[in-house]
Amino acid sequence: MKNEITLPAFSRRSFMRTTALAGGGLLIGVNFLNSCKPEAKMPEDISQLNFNNFNAYIKIADNGKVTIFSPNPEIGQGVKTSMPMIVAEELDVAWKDVYVEQAPLDTKNFTRQVAGGSQSIRHGWDILRQTGANARQMLIHAAAKQWEISPADCKVSEGVISDSKGNQLGYGDVVKAAAALDIQDNAPLKDPSQYKIIGRDAINVDIDKIISGKPLFGLDYSKPGMHYACVLRPPAFGRKLVSFDDSETKKVTGVTDVFRFEDKIAVVATNTWAAKKGKEKLQARWDDEKLESTEDHDRILLGLLDGKDFETLRADGDVKKAFAEADRVIERTYESPFLPHSCMEPMNFFADVTDEEVELTGPIQTPEGSQKAVAEALGVDIAKVRVNMTRMGGGFGRRLIGDFVLEAAKISDVVRKPVKLFYTREDDMTCGQYRPAIKYRIAASLKDGKITGYHLKEAAVNSNMYGLIPNFFPAGAIENYQVDVANYKSHITTAPWRAPYTNFLAFAEQSFLDELFEIMETDPIQARLDLLDNVKGTTDERIQYSPERMQEVIRTAVTKSGWNVPASPGVFRGFSAYYCHNSHVAEVVDVTMNGNGMPSVKKVTCVVDCGIVVNPTGARNQVEGGVIDGIGHAMYGDLSFENGTPGVKNFGAYRLIRMEEAPEVDVHFIQNGLSPTGLGEPALPPAGAALANAIKKATGKRILAQPFTKYLGTEEKVIG
């Protein structure tokens, strides 16, 4: 069973340092994600240091202060705080003496500068610790040499080295001597019982700048002489531009350039207002081809579910035989709509294209992919494309797709001016990349009081496997188990959406399992535990979850929520448990029903096994946000299309969960001392399922489609 990742081998290439520093100090390179390439070299003279040369690195000044440069994009998941905490722990410096800076993209020395999949801490855990430990050992050796004693006779605490005689030296006192020593590979790591930073609450390293409005985000970025660009895009996905009239646009004071590129029209101006007003005055004519509507998607996806054109991703045993021999077969179809990403900060990016280089700056989750796309589109050497990253006001998968980066570069290339491309909220909602609409059909066979077969089908718009994972629970727990997928290619652009693969599948499967257990007249908690017993000891390496760890979060959630204690009058509870992004989560939702027949979520108890928690404050924030996000979109999220055009343009017409609707979230972490796993996404998928199961207890109705508020009180997409 593959529950843990293969750890990287450590070598000198994983740990670099300078040998002479101008003005004192030791510069130590950190291979944050085991990605420094062999050709990466450390400069000999810090005065000539080009920070682009490193994936990330530590700088120790002669005053003992430590600066850690982080290469990973920061989208609010907290890695800019938690990853340096890991290094600082093993380096053994006081966290108050650590400064953190964002590094730019460097494809020569880095191979993974990506924010996605909740994988940064999981992949960086061992190499970050080893890097900090190696640095600590070098500094100890330098002090021991000065005292003419064995390094084993030295101790270190928070950047101060001491010996048995009471002598003390700060890191800043020995950095020059340490720079002349050989690198200490594979220095001993701390026992977790010795941790002073890991596992302790740490404030976001950018919090002061965030709350005081300092320039951190893409929309904050500016450069002397910079122009601003708005783009008029097709009013519907699949439409083509026939012609346009820009005569009124050019009359707007501040507008400097108007031109067509592809099926879009760019308006460039000296300020944002002029660019926006200029775009509004454009007169464009588009073709009138009949395009897709939500009704078309419903019909097409249901047709795919009824058809035979599927790709089988997993087939255990004989599902057809199990169904033929069953006492009863239960089948349900679950449906979800498209969803926008709804980032607080709309898409934007800065580009400055000259003959010498292409400078790109802004919020992007995949800087290297964007660099490659820009180089190819402009026909320039990729070495000339320089990418700097800002903090992001939300990503949720939208900023994995760098279409807006490419637009900015193309516009700057035409006008040969530094340009900030910005989307309005309407642009962001109507010209986006969406969570694909998906339908699941799940069937199960029952015989002699047991589940003997399980068949899961997915039909999705542009899914590219965004909605289905064949090796998650209950894979391996049911003898006859099959997973099939079919895909419809649409003009509507789609992208991963927070917790891709699982954000809707968890609702479908966990709701279906609860219904099965109800039909079987068995306890839903014990039934899940029994299914997980079937997976223990398996030799099936495809299974990605741990049955033991899943059982522990289930049992803990039962205890922490008081599941077995009768709820207060009018309070109804629902349960779900799910594995994704290498973490196991169980949730209990408490709801009451309002006079209008709608549920009010009062409390969610969430138990998470994500291994060692580096920063509890940040971890709780991630879990709370994921739970509320999951509940909000299950309840309200809905985006329809009419003839290729999104049905809403701004938040005034798009329902999101409101502050007064956010429940109390009681978070508990399993303390097992295992290596960290994902955290930014795993709390979201179980939330909708637990809520749906609570609503069933409250109303007697099972909801088969999201958003719940659309179907509660109706007979559509509801059974019972």
Side-chain angles (χ1 to χ4, degrees):
M1 199 179 311
K2 293 182 178 179
N3 296 324
E4 302 297 336
I5 63 171
T6 300
L7 300 182
F10 298 111
S11 70
R12 285 181 173 275
R13 291 171 182 160
S14 301
F15 190 79
M16 302 175 295
R17 57 151 174 83
T18 57
T19 57
L21 300 181
L26 171 64
L27 191 72
I28 302 166
V30 183
N31 180 350
F32 257 72
L33 293 174
N34 193 30
S35 56
C36 280
K37 297 181 180 178
E39 66 267 29
K41 301 293 184 182
M42 205 69 170
E44 297 297 321
D45 183 1
I46 194 173
S47 67
Q48 302 300 316
L49 179 63
N50 178 352
F51 288 142
N52 292 343
N53 290 341
F54 308 98
N55 188 350
Y57 42 86
I58 305 168
K59 176 182 173 183
I60 303 177
D62 55 8
N63 64 357
K65 299 293 183 181
V66 178
T67 301
I68 301 175
F69 291 81
S70 173
N72 295 71
E74 173 60 65
I75 53 176
Q77 81 279 42
V79 296
K80 193 176 176 183
T81 301
S82 54
M83 294 182 85
M85 287 175 69
I86 300 170
V87 179
E89 179 66 73
E90 291 291 350
L91 184 60
D92 209 331
V93 292
W95 182 242
K96 64 180 177 61
D97 292 331
V98 174
Y99 299 88
V100 179
E101 301 267 345
Q102 177 70 57
L105 174 70
D106 181 357
T107 57
K108 181 178 179 181
N109 298 305
F110 316 144
T111 58
R112 192 185 185 277
Q113 286 183 281
V114 175
S118 300
Q119 296 299 295
S120 295
I121 298 299
R122 175 176 176 252
H123 280 279
W125 172 248
D126 288 282
I127 191 66
L128 291 172
R129 288 190 301 150
Q130 194 63 63
T131 298
N134 289 351
R136 181 187 73 235
Q137 195 69 11
M138 289 169 61
L139 293 157
I140 289 174
H141 275 245
K145 186 175 181 180
Q146 182 171 328
W147 289 328
E148 298 182 344
I149 61 175
S150 169
D153 295 328
C154 297
K155 296 180 180 180
V156 62
S157 177
E158 296 191 335
V160 178
I161 307 165
S162 60
D163 65 7
S164 59
K165 297 179 180 179
N167 295 316
Q168 290 187 339
L169 288 170
Y171 280 175
D173 299 322
V174 295
V175 289
K176 291 182 180 179
L181 299 177
D182 289 335
I183 298 169
Q184 303 296 309
D185 285 338
N186 296 318
L189 300 174
K190 287 184 178 181
D191 184 274
S193 63
Q194 300 174 308
Y195 287 166
K196 303 173 184 176
I197 297 175
I198 293 174
R200 304 292 191 272
D201 291 330
I203 297 173
N204 187 314
V205 295
D206 284 336
I207 193 64
D208 289 341
K209 293 179 180 178
I210 291 172
I211 63 177
S212 60
K214 296 294 191 302
L216 282 171
F217 299 90
L219 284 175
D220 297 326
Y221 185 79
S222 64
K223 187 176 180 179
M226 184 178 79
H227 283 54
Y228 298 84
C230 260
V231 174
L232 181 65
R233 301 170 182 85
F237 288 91
R239 284 277 165 85
K240 303 295 182 183
L241 179 62
V242 176
S243 62
F244 70 96
D245 180 354
D246 61 2
S247 56
E248 292 301 312
T249 296
K250 290 181 176 179
K251 294 178 182 178
V252 175
T253 302
V255 170
T256 59
D257 301 272
V258 184
F259 61 91
R260 172 179 180 166
F261 69 109
E262 301 161 356
D263 283 298
K264 311 167 191 176
I265 308 166
V267 178
V268 181
T270 56
N271 59 78
T272 56
W273 181 253
K276 184 174 181 293
K277 298 306 292 184
K279 187 183 81 166
E280 292 172 357
K281 292 184 176 296
L282 282 170
Q283 297 296 315
R285 187 163 69 88
W286 313 88
D287 64 12
D288 56 359
E289 179 183 351
K290 177 70 170 65
L291 299 170
E292 306 158 28
S293 296
T294 294
E295 293 77 10
D296 300 320
H297 297 138
D298 287 341
R299 172 179 50 80
I300 291 168
L301 295 183
L302 287 172
L304 287 174
L305 288 177
D306 292 332
K308 298 181 179 180
D309 188 17
F310 280 90
E311 177 186 358
T312 298
L313 302 180
R314 179 170 177 140
D316 299 345
D318 190 334
V319 168
K320 288 184 178 179
K321 182 180 179 182
F323 283 15
E325 297 175 350
D327 297 329
R328 184 175 181 182
V329 174
I330 311 299
E331 181 180 279
R332 297 287 180 256
T333 300
Y334 300 87
E335 307 178 39
S336 70
F338 288 94
L339 288 181
H341 291 81
S342 305
C343 301
M344 183 67 73
E345 177 191 21
M347 301 305 106
N348 66 91
F349 224 80
F350 169 85
D352 187 6
V353 179
T354 66
D355 292 337
E356 289 73 33
E357 69 169 2
V358 178
E359 179 188 351
L360 303 170
T361 302
I364 182 66
Q365 292 178 246
T366 50
E368 184 174 353
S370 297
Q371 181 194 49
K372 291 177 180 177
V374 168
E376 181 178 346
L378 301 188
V380 301
D381 185 344
I382 195 170
K384 292 186 175 182
V385 181
R386 181 160 53 92
V387 183
N388 300 300
M389 290 170 280
T390 63
R391 193 178 179 95
M392 288 172 251
F396 312 113
R398 172 62 181 94
R399 286 186 162 100
L400 289 170
I401 311 300
D403 52 319
F404 52 97
V405 182
L406 196 56
E407 286 181 342
K410 289 180 177 179
I411 293 169
S412 179
D413 186 42
V414 171
V415 300
R416 288 294 164 136
K417 300 170 184 174
V419 170
K420 164 75 74 63
L421 169 72
F422 67 95
Y423 282 39
T424 63
R425 177 59 63 191
E426 288 79 8
D427 292 335
D428 211 50
M429 292 285 285
T430 61
C431 306
Q433 307 270 346
Y434 306 97
R435 185 186 81 169
I438 298 176
K439 298 188 189 301
Y440 293 118
R441 181 165 293 163
I442 312 178
S445 57
L446 304 179
K447 186 174 179 62
D448 299 331
K450 295 183 179 181
I451 303 172
T452 59
Y454 189 96
H455 192 187
L456 170 63
K457 291 182 177 180
E458 175 194 86
V461 175
N462 297 344
S463 77
N464 192 29
M465 292 287 293
Y466 290 154
L468 202 61
I469 292 290
N471 300 314
F472 288 3
F473 181 78
I478 300 170
E479 182 178 1
N480 304 293
Y481 176 86
Q482 185 167 324
V483 176
D484 296 328
V485 61
N487 180 53
Y488 167 66
K489 185 67 176 176
S490 170
H491 288 298
I492 297 169
T493 51
T494 57
W497 191 93
R498 190 176 188 179
Y501 313 102
T502 60
N503 51 60
F504 179 65
L505 178 59
F507 155 69
E509 288 199 307
Q510 289 290 307
S511 296
F512 184 72
L513 286 175
D514 247 39
E515 183 177 358
L516 283 184
F517 301 145
E518 184 178 11
I519 292 170
M520 296 164 64
E521 297 182 346
T522 186
D523 179 78
I525 303 295
Q526 189 58 49
R528 285 174 169 87
L529 296 173
D530 291 344
L531 283 175
L532 287 162
D533 278 339
N534 296 338
V535 192
K536 291 180 178 178
T538 183
T539 57
D540 186 350
E541 293 188 353
R542 295 173 299 172
I543 300 299
Q544 298 179 31
Y545 62 93
S546 162
E548 294 85 359
R549 295 175 76 170
M550 182 69 84
Q551 286 179 329
E552 186 171 10
V553 296
I554 290 173
R555 292 189 177 108
T556 305
V558 167
T559 300
K560 296 296 184 182
S561 67
W563 176 267
N564 292 324
V565 177
S568 302
V571 176
F572 303 90
R573 287 178 176 148
F575 177 88
S576 73
Y578 208 72
Y579 165 90
C580 67
H581 298 85
N582 312 103
S583 293
H584 304 76
V585 180
E587 296 181 14
V588 174
V589 168
D590 294 0
V591 304
T592 59
M593 298 303 293
N594 297 328
N596 60 3
M598 293 295 158
S600 175
V601 183
K602 298 301 182 182
K603 181 180 179 181
V604 179
T605 303
C606 184
V607 177
V608 181
D609 179 354
C610 61
I612 292 173
V613 176
V614 176
N615 181 8
T617 292
R620 285 190 296 271
N621 290 342
Q622 287 296 294
V623 173
E624 291 168 358
V627 168
I628 294 170
D629 204 8
I631 287 173
H633 282 92
M635 282 284 287
Y636 309 111
D638 191 15
L639 182 66
S640 61
F641 286 81
E642 182 64 37
N643 197 24
T645 302
V648 295
K649 296 182 178 181
N650 208 317
F651 288 153
Y654 183 73
R655 183 72 158 87
L656 291 164
I657 192 169
R658 295 166 181 160
M659 290 183 68
E660 66 269 18
E661 295 165 337
E664 172 193 353
V665 182
D666 184 22
V667 181
H668 302 272
F669 294 103
I670 300 296
Q671 304 294 330
N672 53 23
L674 297 175
S675 297
T677 53
L679 191 56
E681 295 162 287
L684 184 149
L691 174 56
N693 291 334
I695 291 172
K696 168 58 171 64
K697 289 185 178 179
T699 66
K701 303 289 186 181
R702 288 203 176 275
I703 306 171
L704 301 180
Q706 294 181 358
F708 298 162
T709 52
K710 185 175 181 179
Y711 302 106
L712 277 171
T714 74
E715 298 302 317
E716 186 183 3
K717 318 291 187 187
V718 175
I719 59 173

